[in-house]
Amino acid sequence: MSEVTIVQLTDTHIRPAGEWVHGMVDTYANLTLALQQLRASQRRVDALVLSGDLTDTGSPEAYQRLRGAVEPVAAELGAQTVYVMGNHDERTAFATELLGADPADVDPDTTHDQVVDVAGLRVIALDSTTPRRHDGRLEQRQLDWLAEQLREPAPRGTLLVLHHPPIPSPVAATEYLRLERPELLGEVLAGSDVGLIVCGHNHLTGAAALAGIPVWIGPALAYRIDTIAPSGRHRGLIGYGYSRIDLLGSTLVATAIEATPAETLYDRPEQDVLDQLAALAAEAG
Ligand SMILES: [Fe+2]
Ligand SMILES: [Fe+2]
């Protein structure tokens, strides 16, 4: 039984009404399908973490659409929402439309870093973006702030969220848009209570480690990159998903939720399956 469940929705790339990404993907439909799946599952969700590229072009209308879709479902689920900046986002619209900030108070050069308590699990979100750039970087000031936050451990440990994965990529374009100097982040995290680093940005599902801490790249809700495209080709594919992050005992576990419509192969009562497995185990001695 999961002690804490967080759903990671990443790279939603919402556009204003009537606009589709690459002219083919209704990203708003993908988002609402995922939210509908969460409602239909009737499972406990403690937080929805949106890990960047929330909108495709940073338009205020797109943030309003995103918020209009996410907030009612979060309220129904009793889930907190954590909005994190990505390279397609725009800081002023992000802060005013999602966080209710006064536009006059928003400095577009100030990063949106935050720490949120989710049922004893500390979620720290870093803004790895730089205005008008698509690669990632963390300022020394952010690393100092992070070190300060991590000085005291949290009751159930810490989940770190940032848009740009702090690991290399086998996909050339993704590698080009990587986070600069991830080892600086690794130095801050070494020996801390961070149990998992959760990212988006790459539009693929992948994992590695930084300073011995697992890094999860969650599948994007907009579309995915072909990770075995013919040599010399960079290819986007229609397909999407999101992730669940569960605290199981003291272990943070990341699990992809493939959301591209698929045929049901079987659909049985969970208890029947468990009973069958127990019977097989008993038989085997
Ligand atoms: Fe993205
Ligand atoms: Fe991105």
Side-chain angles (χ1 to χ4, degrees):
M1 182 69 177
S2 177
E3 292 173 48
V4 182
T5 298
I6 288 176
V7 167
Q8 179 205 10
L9 304 170
T10 197
D11 297 82
T12 42
H13 286 267
I14 300 299
R15 295 184 68 106
E19 293 184 16
W20 289 14
V21 169
H22 291 290
M24 287 181 71
V25 181
D26 182 354
T27 49
Y28 184 80
N30 292 4
L31 171 64
T32 51
L33 178 138
L35 292 169
Q36 182 53 36
Q37 283 183 339
L38 295 177
R39 293 179 68 225
S41 78
Q42 299 184 319
R43 290 174 186 270
R44 198 193 73 232
V45 177
D46 297 290
L48 299 175
V49 173
L50 287 89
S51 52
D53 287 357
L54 308 184
T55 66
D56 198 42
T57 59
S59 83
E61 186 191 337
Y63 286 106
Q64 290 160 16
R65 293 187 87 203
L66 176 88
R67 188 177 179 174
V70 169
E71 293 292 336
V73 177
E76 187 182 322
L77 296 170
Q80 299 180 64
T81 50
V82 181
Y83 296 110
V84 186
M85 281 283 297
N87 52 296
H88 280 257
D89 291 305
E90 197 280 314
R91 285 204 181 116
T92 303
F94 174 94
T96 53
E97 302 299 339
L98 293 181
L99 311 178
D102 186 326
D105 296 336
V106 181
D107 174 0
D109 290 324
T110 300
T111 54
H112 289 295
D113 307 309
Q114 54 196 305
V115 52
V116 181
D117 179 282
V118 180
L121 175 70
R122 177 168 55 190
V123 177
I124 300 182
L126 292 176
D127 177 349
S128 55
T129 71
T130 306
R132 294 173 299 283
R133 291 190 65 98
H134 285 289
D135 55 352
R137 69 175 293 170
L138 296 171
E139 307 288 344
Q140 186 57 47
R141 174 182 49 72
Q142 292 177 279
L143 294 171
D144 294 343
W145 176 83
L146 178 63
E148 188 60 37
Q149 298 299 319
L150 293 173
R151 204 175 299 276
E152 294 292 327
R156 285 174 154 167
T158 298
L159 175 74
L160 181 70
V161 184
L162 75 166
H163 183 65
H164 295 82
I167 50 173
S169 175
V171 177
T174 306
E175 176 64 4
Y176 187 80
L177 298 178
R178 68 188 177 277
L179 181 79
E180 180 183 287
R181 304 202 62 191
E183 70 278 6
L184 299 178
L185 176 62
E187 285 168 19
V188 173
L189 298 181
S192 73
D193 72 344
V194 173
L196 181 66
I197 304 167
V198 166
C199 311
H201 186 54
N202 293 4
H203 292 226
L204 52 81
T205 311
L210 177 73
I213 301 165
V215 176
W216 170 254
I217 307 169
L221 256 176
Y223 63 90
R224 66 183 181 88
I225 294 297
D226 185 352
T227 50
I228 199 70
S231 183
R233 304 298 299 171
H234 182 68
R235 197 150 70 176
L237 301 175
I238 292 179
Y240 53 100
Y242 53 107
S243 304
R244 56 182 295 172
I245 313 295
D246 294 283
L247 182 66
L248 301 169
S250 59
T251 305
L252 281 165
V253 178
T255 306
I257 303 169
E258 306 294 343
T260 310
E263 294 293 316
T264 299
L265 179 59
Y266 53 79
D267 182 1
R268 303 173 55 198
E270 193 172 54
Q271 193 56 52
D272 287 3
V273 176
L274 294 174
D275 291 347
Q276 190 180 5
L277 293 174
L280 281 171
E283 230 175 76

